[in-house]
Amino acid sequence: MSRLNYQASRFLTSAPTLAKCPPDDGAEVAFAGRSNAGKSSAINALTRQKALARTSKTPGRTQLINFFVLGEDTGHRLVDLPGYGYAKVPEQVKLEWQRHLSDYLRRRGSLRGLVLVMDVRHPLSEFDQTLLGWADEADMPVHILLTKADKLKSGAAKSALQQVRSRLREWEDLVSIQLFSALKKQGVEEVHERLDQWLLDAPVPAGD
């Protein structure tokens, strides 16, 4: 049973750059992944809300860093980072997104962990590996969600999980991995436990 009330999550603000982000205090966990990996659906499933994070039929629509607070508890936040991969935007814009994302991961003091969302059928894209590299440089723990697990039979999903785990063995002290399905609500409690661990192990301002 989760110790934090994720169902009470509400939108706080959006920021185009690190400088425009909310005050860097309390504790937050960021969600990242390719535009079609099911990141928004995962956030909605974890908060048991249908539209907290916007899901779009046009991948790459989210170009801002979106912050959500757990009800009135502003000391604990979930952060939806811009998706990458299929956005029909100029290359220069993509590079700018990557620079802001790198800044956020490396310099955000309240960031306690990164949830990296990958489609179980197409894991460890070039962008996923870039993010893992940034996390490694920042000594930032990462929890990988292999989403859309319902699209595969149980044996195939478990096999995919083992393959990703094997490929990331060198990072096993920093990276944990699980299967997840927003549709079936598979793995929700496991993610809540990880978020609780990260968010509650961090100091939070008095009064929050």
Side-chain angles (χ1 to χ4, degrees):
M1 190 72 177
S2 173
R3 291 177 288 163
L4 288 170
N5 186 5
Y6 296 98
Q7 199 165 344
S9 299
R10 61 183 176 85
F11 176 74
L12 177 64
T13 189
S14 295
T17 65
L18 180 68
K20 299 288 178 64
C21 288
D24 194 2
D25 55 25
E28 61 195 35
V29 171
F31 289 72
R34 280 179 66 122
S35 301
N36 63 335
K39 176 166 56 70
S40 296
S41 296
I43 293 172
N44 290 338
L46 293 169
T47 58
R48 294 186 170 87
Q49 298 187 39
K50 290 184 177 178
L52 182 69
R54 293 179 185 172
T55 56
S56 172
K57 288 184 166 53
T58 307
R61 184 70 59 80
T62 305
Q63 300 176 24
L64 299 170
I65 303 171
N66 297 304
F67 291 81
F68 307 97
V69 292
L70 276 55
E72 300 308 311
D73 177 8
T74 57
H76 296 115
R77 297 178 296 276
L78 304 180
V79 185
D80 186 8
L81 298 175
Y84 291 84
Y86 287 96
K88 293 180 180 177
V89 297
E91 190 65 26
Q92 189 59 41
V93 174
K94 287 187 183 180
L95 291 173
E96 189 75 358
W97 286 359
Q98 291 198 22
R99 187 173 66 80
H100 292 316
L101 183 51
S102 175
D103 278 351
Y104 172 82
L105 292 176
R106 288 171 172 163
R107 295 167 52 196
R108 185 73 172 169
S110 54
L111 182 62
R112 296 293 180 261
L114 178 68
V115 177
L116 181 51
V117 178
M118 306 179 191
D119 187 325
V120 68
R121 300 163 298 176
H122 313 288
L124 293 173
S125 69
E126 184 179 351
F127 173 65
D128 295 331
Q129 294 179 61
T130 297
L131 268 178
L132 285 167
W134 287 340
D136 189 36
E137 286 178 28
D139 202 28
M140 178 67 58
V142 178
H143 188 61
I144 294 174
L145 301 188
L146 295 178
T147 60
K148 308 185 184 181
D150 55 280
K151 302 285 188 185
L152 297 178
K153 291 184 178 177
S154 177
K158 288 176 182 174
S159 175
L161 174 66
Q162 290 305 324
Q163 287 176 27
V164 173
R165 197 167 268 153
S166 176
R167 288 178 63 183
L168 296 178
R169 190 161 289 133
E170 64 180 296
W171 284 328
E172 62 186 356
D173 58 331
L174 201 66
V175 176
S176 50
I177 310 167
Q178 71 166 93
L179 294 170
F180 187 87
S181 167
L183 185 67
K184 304 288 188 184
K185 304 297 185 287
Q186 175 189 348
V188 168
E189 289 306 319
E190 192 176 339
V191 184
H192 282 166
E193 288 176 13
R194 179 65 56 174
L195 295 178
D196 279 358
Q197 179 188 349
W198 285 342
L199 291 170
L200 292 173
D201 280 351
V204 175
D208 284 337

